[in-house]
Amino acid sequence: MTGTTIEFIMQIIIILFLVIGTFFVLSASIGVIRFPDVYTRLHASTKAATLGISGIMIGAFIFLYVEHGMVSGKLILGIIFILLTAPVSAHMIGRAAHATGVKPWSHDGNTRDAYADSFKDE
């Protein structure tokens, strides 16, 4: 393969990472607005946003490496930081919501709280 073919393929890969990341960030934003309760909103904001931000940062990392020959340690640390902290913070927010008595949403209003039931058995 020639140099221009490899550059073209790398540009396509960069574009794919950026578009996929943007899609996940957009879907996370819509999920936070549209979902009914704190637990489903947490799911949307952490899973989709983590994938989206990571995709955008990976696209930026590849761009900097291909176009400028730079290996950005800040982007690598940013990806690792997002992947480690977002799920932990969502877990803690979910536990705080449960501890304060926020009930999960259901269509019929008849919700079974399996987490609270597990503590009753002990």
Side-chain angles (χ1 to χ4, degrees), residues 25-96:
V25 169
L26 179 67
S27 65
S29 302
I30 293 170
V32 168
I33 293 170
R34 298 285 300 170
F35 285 155
D37 68 341
V38 68
Y39 303 109
T40 54
R41 288 178 181 168
L42 276 173
H43 179 75
S45 66
T46 54
K47 300 240 186 234
T50 300
L51 287 173
I53 292 169
S54 296
I56 291 170
M57 287 183 159
I58 290 170
F61 177 81
I62 295 171
F63 172 78
L64 287 175
Y65 182 71
V66 169
E67 295 294 322
H68 302 291
M70 292 181 359
V71 176
S72 177
K74 290 179 183 179
L75 283 173
I76 293 172
L77 288 174
I79 293 167
I80 293 169
F81 181 76
I82 291 294
L83 289 175
L84 291 176
T85 59
V88 173
S89 63
H91 176 75
M92 296 310 294
I93 292 170
R95 284 188 63 159

